[in-house]
Amino acid sequence: MNTDPPGTMLADRSVIRVAGEDVRGFLQGLVTADTALLTPGAPAWAALLSPQGKVLFDFILWADGTDVLIDVEAAQAEALTKRLSLYRLRRAITLVPDDLAVHWAPKGDRGVPDPRLADLGRRWLGPPAEPATDWHAHRLSLGVTEGVGELGAGETLWLECNARELNGVSFTKGCYVGQENTARMHHRSKVNRRLIVAPFTEPSGRTRVTYPELGLMVEHRRIESLGDAIVPPWLATALTGTPTD
């Protein structure tokens, strides 16, 4: 029997189950998060990057015994499965769709805090239920971007997606695809552009996606030209070292 409260399912998300031989070791050399730190109560936001450090897919990893569950944009689940399958070689590893759904609530005691930002609310995996209605507005109001439409596919450096500030990268785990350029940017503090959320206006060349119904859009701007961007405290701290109200 489904005991989830109504209005919690993120209908645009899917779950991929990665199972088999040394799943965490397999993913450790590919994704930006440290899979050794995954526990049922501590999922991790991560990405699969190009060798140049540009994001191809972003997702949340969940521990499930010896398996790892990938909470990913539904429209990209098949493409991510195919990409990860290329790295299996002869390893006894399977990547298959799972029946679990991704759930969210702005507050309460279900699930765990979103690994990117506690203000995003609570997140968990469970049987399908009624779709949530206000997740996207809530996420964007906090300046958090995700998915291929906002991050791009091989267009944006991972640190420009605010991955460092939102716990999407480990700088101590060792090598993974795209690690060299990501680490160099981090150590040299060379993040010159940021993905930001701003009030909706006429789109320009730096616009990634518009949400006129929400009065918002996502843009890729130079840090000296943030203009009217939403700059929440977590981003203000990164840009200036001093949080804003």
Side-chain angles (χ1 to χ4, degrees), residues 228-244:
D228 61 353
I230 294 173
V231 182
W234 63 263
L235 181 55
T237 300
L239 295 175
T240 68
T242 303
T244 61

mmCIF file with all atom_site columns, all heavy atoms in Angstrom, residues 228-244:
data_model
loop_
_atom_site.group_PDB
_atom_site.id
_atom_site.type_symbol
_atom_site.label_atom_id
_atom_site.label_alt_id
_atom_site.label_comp_id
_atom_site.label_asym_id
_atom_site.label_entity_id
_atom_site.label_seq_id
_atom_site.pdbx_PDB_ins_code
_atom_site.Cartn_x
_atom_site.Cartn_y
_atom_site.Cartn_z
_atom_site.occupancy
_atom_site.B_iso_or_equiv
_atom_site.pdbx_formal_charge
_atom_site.auth_seq_id
_atom_site.auth_comp_id
_atom_site.auth_asym_id
_atom_site.auth_atom_id
_atom_site.pdbx_PDB_model_num
ATOM 1   N N   . ASP A 1 228 ? 20.855 41.463 -12.640 1.00 0.00 ? 228 ASP A N   1
ATOM 2   C CA  . ASP A 1 228 ? 19.676 41.232 -11.818 1.00 0.00 ? 228 ASP A CA  1
ATOM 3   C C   . ASP A 1 228 ? 19.534 39.776 -11.365 1.00 0.00 ? 228 ASP A C   1
ATOM 4   O O   . ASP A 1 228 ? 18.456 39.355 -10.937 1.00 0.00 ? 228 ASP A O   1
ATOM 5   C CB  . ASP A 1 228 ? 18.421 41.652 -12.583 1.00 0.00 ? 228 ASP A CB  1
ATOM 6   C CG  . ASP A 1 228 ? 18.226 40.851 -13.878 1.00 0.00 ? 228 ASP A CG  1
ATOM 7   O OD1 . ASP A 1 228 ? 19.136 40.076 -14.249 1.00 0.00 ? 228 ASP A OD1 1
ATOM 8   O OD2 . ASP A 1 228 ? 17.170 41.010 -14.521 1.00 0.00 ? 228 ASP A OD2 1
ATOM 9   N N   . ALA A 1 229 ? 20.596 39.009 -11.454 1.00 0.00 ? 229 ALA A N   1
ATOM 10  C CA  . ALA A 1 229 ? 20.539 37.599 -11.080 1.00 0.00 ? 229 ALA A CA  1
ATOM 11  C C   . ALA A 1 229 ? 20.097 37.416 -9.633  1.00 0.00 ? 229 ALA A C   1
ATOM 12  O O   . ALA A 1 229 ? 20.383 38.250 -8.765  1.00 0.00 ? 229 ALA A O   1
ATOM 13  C CB  . ALA A 1 229 ? 21.903 36.943 -11.274 1.00 0.00 ? 229 ALA A CB  1
ATOM 14  N N   . ILE A 1 230 ? 19.393 36.313 -9.381  1.00 0.00 ? 230 ILE A N   1
ATOM 15  C CA  . ILE A 1 230 ? 19.103 35.910 -8.005  1.00 0.00 ? 230 ILE A CA  1
ATOM 16  C C   . ILE A 1 230 ? 20.416 35.445 -7.388  1.00 0.00 ? 230 ILE A C   1
ATOM 17  O O   . ILE A 1 230 ? 21.044 34.515 -7.894  1.00 0.00 ? 230 ILE A O   1
ATOM 18  C CB  . ILE A 1 230 ? 18.059 34.783 -7.979  1.00 0.00 ? 230 ILE A CB  1
ATOM 19  C CG1 . ILE A 1 230 ? 16.717 35.292 -8.501  1.00 0.00 ? 230 ILE A CG1 1
ATOM 20  C CG2 . ILE A 1 230 ? 17.920 34.203 -6.574  1.00 0.00 ? 230 ILE A CG2 1
ATOM 21  C CD1 . ILE A 1 230 ? 15.667 34.205 -8.675  1.00 0.00 ? 230 ILE A CD1 1
ATOM 22  N N   . VAL A 1 231 ? 20.838 36.102 -6.322  1.00 0.00 ? 231 VAL A N   1
ATOM 23  C CA  . VAL A 1 231 ? 22.096 35.737 -5.658  1.00 0.00 ? 231 VAL A CA  1
ATOM 24  C C   . VAL A 1 231 ? 21.764 35.340 -4.215  1.00 0.00 ? 231 VAL A C   1
ATOM 25  O O   . VAL A 1 231 ? 21.779 36.179 -3.312  1.00 0.00 ? 231 VAL A O   1
ATOM 26  C CB  . VAL A 1 231 ? 23.117 36.892 -5.696  1.00 0.00 ? 231 VAL A CB  1
ATOM 27  C CG1 . VAL A 1 231 ? 24.431 36.454 -5.043  1.00 0.00 ? 231 VAL A CG1 1
ATOM 28  C CG2 . VAL A 1 231 ? 23.375 37.325 -7.145  1.00 0.00 ? 231 VAL A CG2 1
ATOM 29  N N   . PRO A 1 232 ? 21.413 34.073 -3.999  1.00 0.00 ? 232 PRO A N   1
ATOM 30  C CA  . PRO A 1 232 ? 21.094 33.617 -2.641  1.00 0.00 ? 232 PRO A CA  1
ATOM 31  C C   . PRO A 1 232 ? 22.352 33.588 -1.781  1.00 0.00 ? 232 PRO A C   1
ATOM 32  O O   . PRO A 1 232 ? 23.479 33.689 -2.298  1.00 0.00 ? 232 PRO A O   1
ATOM 33  C CB  . PRO A 1 232 ? 20.534 32.207 -2.870  1.00 0.00 ? 232 PRO A CB  1
ATOM 34  C CG  . PRO A 1 232 ? 21.154 31.768 -4.156  1.00 0.00 ? 232 PRO A CG  1
ATOM 35  C CD  . PRO A 1 232 ? 21.322 33.002 -4.988  1.00 0.00 ? 232 PRO A CD  1
ATOM 36  N N   . PRO A 1 233 ? 22.200 33.444 -0.466  1.00 0.00 ? 233 PRO A N   1
ATOM 37  C CA  . PRO A 1 233 ? 23.374 33.480 0.419   1.00 0.00 ? 233 PRO A CA  1
ATOM 38  C C   . PRO A 1 233 ? 24.474 32.492 0.049   1.00 0.00 ? 233 PRO A C   1
ATOM 39  O O   . PRO A 1 233 ? 25.649 32.831 0.126   1.00 0.00 ? 233 PRO A O   1
ATOM 40  C CB  . PRO A 1 233 ? 22.777 33.179 1.800   1.00 0.00 ? 233 PRO A CB  1
ATOM 41  C CG  . PRO A 1 233 ? 21.387 33.708 1.718   1.00 0.00 ? 233 PRO A CG  1
ATOM 42  C CD  . PRO A 1 233 ? 20.937 33.430 0.305   1.00 0.00 ? 233 PRO A CD  1
ATOM 43  N N   . TRP A 1 234 ? 24.104 31.275 -0.370  1.00 0.00 ? 234 TRP A N   1
ATOM 44  C CA  . TRP A 1 234 ? 25.151 30.296 -0.682  1.00 0.00 ? 234 TRP A CA  1
ATOM 45  C C   . TRP A 1 234 ? 26.011 30.753 -1.863  1.00 0.00 ? 234 TRP A C   1
ATOM 46  O O   . TRP A 1 234 ? 27.217 30.486 -1.890  1.00 0.00 ? 234 TRP A O   1
ATOM 47  C CB  . TRP A 1 234 ? 24.539 28.920 -0.961  1.00 0.00 ? 234 TRP A CB  1
ATOM 48  C CG  . TRP A 1 234 ? 23.620 28.847 -2.156  1.00 0.00 ? 234 TRP A CG  1
ATOM 49  C CD1 . TRP A 1 234 ? 22.259 28.923 -2.160  1.00 0.00 ? 234 TRP A CD1 1
ATOM 50  C CD2 . TRP A 1 234 ? 24.010 28.673 -3.532  1.00 0.00 ? 234 TRP A CD2 1
ATOM 51  N NE1 . TRP A 1 234 ? 21.772 28.831 -3.438  1.00 0.00 ? 234 TRP A NE1 1
ATOM 52  C CE2 . TRP A 1 234 ? 22.815 28.666 -4.294  1.00 0.00 ? 234 TRP A CE2 1
ATOM 53  C CE3 . TRP A 1 234 ? 25.227 28.524 -4.176  1.00 0.00 ? 234 TRP A CE3 1
ATOM 54  C CZ2 . TRP A 1 234 ? 22.822 28.513 -5.684  1.00 0.00 ? 234 TRP A CZ2 1
ATOM 55  C CZ3 . TRP A 1 234 ? 25.239 28.373 -5.568  1.00 0.00 ? 234 TRP A CZ3 1
ATOM 56  C CH2 . TRP A 1 234 ? 24.043 28.369 -6.299  1.00 0.00 ? 234 TRP A CH2 1
ATOM 57  N N   . LEU A 1 235 ? 25.427 31.456 -2.824  1.00 0.00 ? 235 LEU A N   1
ATOM 58  C CA  . LEU A 1 235 ? 26.192 31.944 -3.966  1.00 0.00 ? 235 LEU A CA  1
ATOM 59  C C   . LEU A 1 235 ? 26.919 33.238 -3.624  1.00 0.00 ? 235 LEU A C   1
ATOM 60  O O   . LEU A 1 235 ? 28.066 33.444 -4.047  1.00 0.00 ? 235 LEU A O   1
ATOM 61  C CB  . LEU A 1 235 ? 25.270 32.161 -5.169  1.00 0.00 ? 235 LEU A CB  1
ATOM 62  C CG  . LEU A 1 235 ? 25.937 32.642 -6.458  1.00 0.00 ? 235 LEU A CG  1
ATOM 63  C CD1 . LEU A 1 235 ? 27.070 31.706 -6.889  1.00 0.00 ? 235 LEU A CD1 1
ATOM 64  C CD2 . LEU A 1 235 ? 24.901 32.782 -7.579  1.00 0.00 ? 235 LEU A CD2 1
ATOM 65  N N   . ALA A 1 236 ? 26.284 34.106 -2.843  1.00 0.00 ? 236 ALA A N   1
ATOM 66  C CA  . ALA A 1 236 ? 26.937 35.350 -2.434  1.00 0.00 ? 236 ALA A CA  1
ATOM 67  C C   . ALA A 1 236 ? 28.222 35.064 -1.672  1.00 0.00 ? 236 ALA A C   1
ATOM 68  O O   . ALA A 1 236 ? 29.237 35.744 -1.856  1.00 0.00 ? 236 ALA A O   1
ATOM 69  C CB  . ALA A 1 236 ? 25.983 36.180 -1.574  1.00 0.00 ? 236 ALA A CB  1
ATOM 70  N N   . THR A 1 237 ? 28.196 34.058 -0.818  1.00 0.00 ? 237 THR A N   1
ATOM 71  C CA  . THR A 1 237 ? 29.396 33.687 -0.063  1.00 0.00 ? 237 THR A CA  1
ATOM 72  C C   . THR A 1 237 ? 30.513 33.269 -1.001  1.00 0.00 ? 237 THR A C   1
ATOM 73  O O   . THR A 1 237 ? 31.680 33.640 -0.819  1.00 0.00 ? 237 THR A O   1
ATOM 74  C CB  . THR A 1 237 ? 29.072 32.559 0.921   1.00 0.00 ? 237 THR A CB  1
ATOM 75  O OG1 . THR A 1 237 ? 28.066 33.002 1.828   1.00 0.00 ? 237 THR A OG1 1
ATOM 76  C CG2 . THR A 1 237 ? 30.301 32.146 1.697   1.00 0.00 ? 237 THR A CG2 1
ATOM 77  N N   . ALA A 1 238 ? 30.164 32.510 -2.036  1.00 0.00 ? 238 ALA A N   1
ATOM 78  C CA  . ALA A 1 238 ? 31.177 32.043 -2.989  1.00 0.00 ? 238 ALA A CA  1
ATOM 79  C C   . ALA A 1 238 ? 31.770 33.201 -3.792  1.00 0.00 ? 238 ALA A C   1
ATOM 80  O O   . ALA A 1 238 ? 32.966 33.221 -4.094  1.00 0.00 ? 238 ALA A O   1
ATOM 81  C CB  . ALA A 1 238 ? 30.559 31.021 -3.936  1.00 0.00 ? 238 ALA A CB  1
ATOM 82  N N   . LEU A 1 239 ? 30.931 34.177 -4.132  1.00 0.00 ? 239 LEU A N   1
ATOM 83  C CA  . LEU A 1 239 ? 31.386 35.274 -4.988  1.00 0.00 ? 239 LEU A CA  1
ATOM 84  C C   . LEU A 1 239 ? 32.167 36.336 -4.236  1.00 0.00 ? 239 LEU A C   1
ATOM 85  O O   . LEU A 1 239 ? 33.094 36.945 -4.760  1.00 0.00 ? 239 LEU A O   1
ATOM 86  C CB  . LEU A 1 239 ? 30.180 35.921 -5.668  1.00 0.00 ? 239 LEU A CB  1
ATOM 87  C CG  . LEU A 1 239 ? 29.405 35.036 -6.643  1.00 0.00 ? 239 LEU A CG  1
ATOM 88  C CD1 . LEU A 1 239 ? 28.170 35.774 -7.149  1.00 0.00 ? 239 LEU A CD1 1
ATOM 89  C CD2 . LEU A 1 239 ? 30.287 34.589 -7.795  1.00 0.00 ? 239 LEU A CD2 1
ATOM 90  N N   . THR A 1 240 ? 31.789 36.588 -2.979  1.00 0.00 ? 240 THR A N   1
ATOM 91  C CA  . THR A 1 240 ? 32.386 37.688 -2.249  1.00 0.00 ? 240 THR A CA  1
ATOM 92  C C   . THR A 1 240 ? 33.031 37.293 -0.915  1.00 0.00 ? 240 THR A C   1
ATOM 93  O O   . THR A 1 240 ? 33.765 38.072 -0.325  1.00 0.00 ? 240 THR A O   1
ATOM 94  C CB  . THR A 1 240 ? 31.331 38.763 -1.932  1.00 0.00 ? 240 THR A CB  1
ATOM 95  O OG1 . THR A 1 240 ? 30.391 38.230 -0.983  1.00 0.00 ? 240 THR A OG1 1
ATOM 96  C CG2 . THR A 1 240 ? 30.578 39.176 -3.183  1.00 0.00 ? 240 THR A CG2 1
ATOM 97  N N   . GLY A 1 241 ? 32.693 36.082 -0.464  1.00 0.00 ? 241 GLY A N   1
ATOM 98  C CA  . GLY A 1 241 ? 33.167 35.650 0.838   1.00 0.00 ? 241 GLY A CA  1
ATOM 99  C C   . GLY A 1 241 ? 32.322 36.172 1.979   1.00 0.00 ? 241 GLY A C   1
ATOM 100 O O   . GLY A 1 241 ? 32.559 35.867 3.139   1.00 0.00 ? 241 GLY A O   1
ATOM 101 N N   . THR A 1 242 ? 31.293 36.975 1.636   1.00 0.00 ? 242 THR A N   1
ATOM 102 C CA  . THR A 1 242 ? 30.428 37.550 2.657   1.00 0.00 ? 242 THR A CA  1
ATOM 103 C C   . THR A 1 242 ? 28.981 37.283 2.278   1.00 0.00 ? 242 THR A C   1
ATOM 104 O O   . THR A 1 242 ? 28.534 37.694 1.213   1.00 0.00 ? 242 THR A O   1
ATOM 105 C CB  . THR A 1 242 ? 30.633 39.078 2.760   1.00 0.00 ? 242 THR A CB  1
ATOM 106 O OG1 . THR A 1 242 ? 31.995 39.327 3.033   1.00 0.00 ? 242 THR A OG1 1
ATOM 107 C CG2 . THR A 1 242 ? 29.757 39.651 3.859   1.00 0.00 ? 242 THR A CG2 1
ATOM 108 N N   . PRO A 1 243 ? 28.215 36.560 3.112   1.00 0.00 ? 243 PRO A N   1
ATOM 109 C CA  . PRO A 1 243 ? 26.829 36.281 2.786   1.00 0.00 ? 243 PRO A CA  1
ATOM 110 C C   . PRO A 1 243 ? 25.973 37.542 2.801   1.00 0.00 ? 243 PRO A C   1
ATOM 111 O O   . PRO A 1 243 ? 26.277 38.508 3.488   1.00 0.00 ? 243 PRO A O   1
ATOM 112 C CB  . PRO A 1 243 ? 26.383 35.307 3.886   1.00 0.00 ? 243 PRO A CB  1
ATOM 113 C CG  . PRO A 1 243 ? 27.300 35.591 5.026   1.00 0.00 ? 243 PRO A CG  1
ATOM 114 C CD  . PRO A 1 243 ? 28.616 36.018 4.422   1.00 0.00 ? 243 PRO A CD  1
ATOM 115 N N   . THR A 1 244 ? 24.900 37.513 2.007   1.00 0.00 ? 244 THR A N   1
ATOM 116 C CA  . THR A 1 244 ? 23.952 38.623 1.990   1.00 0.00 ? 244 THR A CA  1
ATOM 117 C C   . THR A 1 244 ? 22.686 38.184 2.680   1.00 0.00 ? 244 THR A C   1
ATOM 118 O O   . THR A 1 244 ? 22.441 37.006 2.895   1.00 0.00 ? 244 THR A O   1
ATOM 119 C CB  . THR A 1 244 ? 23.642 39.055 0.560   1.00 0.00 ? 244 THR A CB  1
ATOM 120 O OG1 . THR A 1 244 ? 23.051 37.946 -0.124  1.00 0.00 ? 244 THR A OG1 1
ATOM 121 C CG2 . THR A 1 244 ? 24.869 39.517 -0.165  1.00 0.00 ? 244 THR A CG2 1
#
